[in-house]
Amino acid sequence: MRHQRHEFTPTAFYNEFSATTPPALRVEPGDTIRTKTIDAAGTDDEGVTRGKPGNPQTGPFYVVGAAPGDTLAVHITRLRLNRGWAISTDTLSSLVTTPELAARMTFQGQMVRWRLDMSRGLAMREGGTVGLSEYSVPLKPLLGCIALAPPVGAPAPDTGNIGPWGGNMDFNEIVEIAKNLYQLTGMPNPGN
């Protein structure tokens, strides 16, 4: 069977993981999807608001033959930044703070804008305090949210949640697969 490459331009974005959201695209196992997404504030690569804030999702994609209980493997063969800036907040998750630290963190909740220098592979905070004026972090693009639909009839969690379906993991290993992985394993590279 020949695998297809799908070019998908999203027109709607979703802020929940739901089994009742109609599929945007039907794909066969092994197919490749090329698409874009928007950021957690709902803005696209031009800075235009296209969705509601809160991790709006592209898709969903229906995998033909997949059934509840199956394990699906998603290989990200290419993941690129699409603009010269990014946003975040200065908030720490309640999952990583103690009550004592949370009580001292009265400054939280501010939007932070970052300038992305793709040629040097660095992100620099714009408008930081004197102590942070030279602060930079290496760029390592990741896909913050990826999930399966929860079971039909189950409550639809919002895209800020995580669970057995996946979700807003912000895990720094959900990244582009190294091209040599395909050479090492003998798997065909779907990105070619």
Side-chain angles (χ1 to χ4, degrees), residues 62-74:
Y62 181 89
V63 180
V64 175
D70 287 353
T71 299
L72 299 183
V74 176

Side-chain angles (χ1 to χ4, degrees), residues 1-21:
M1 169 182 224
R2 187 158 194 263
H3 299 297
Q4 286 189 317
R5 180 180 170 139
H6 304 271
E7 298 287 334
F8 178 73
T9 303
T11 57
F13 301 91
Y14 300 93
N15 290 81
E16 65 181 14
F17 301 114
S18 174
T20 62
T21 303

Side-chain angles (χ1 to χ4, degrees), residues 2 12 19 25 30 42-43 46 60 69 86 94 99 129 150 152 164:
R2 187 158 194 263
L25 185 66
T43 56
E46 301 293 327
S94 61
T129 61
V152 174

Side-chain angles (χ1 to χ4, degrees), residues 46-57:
E46 301 293 327
V48 175
T49 300
R50 300 211 26 231
K52 292 190 283 186
N55 304 311
Q57 300 297 295

Side-chain angles (χ1 to χ4, degrees), residues 72-76 143 146 148 175 177:
L72 299 183
V74 176
H75 300 276
I76 301 170
L143 194 58
I146 190 166
L148 300 172
V175 297
I177 287 180

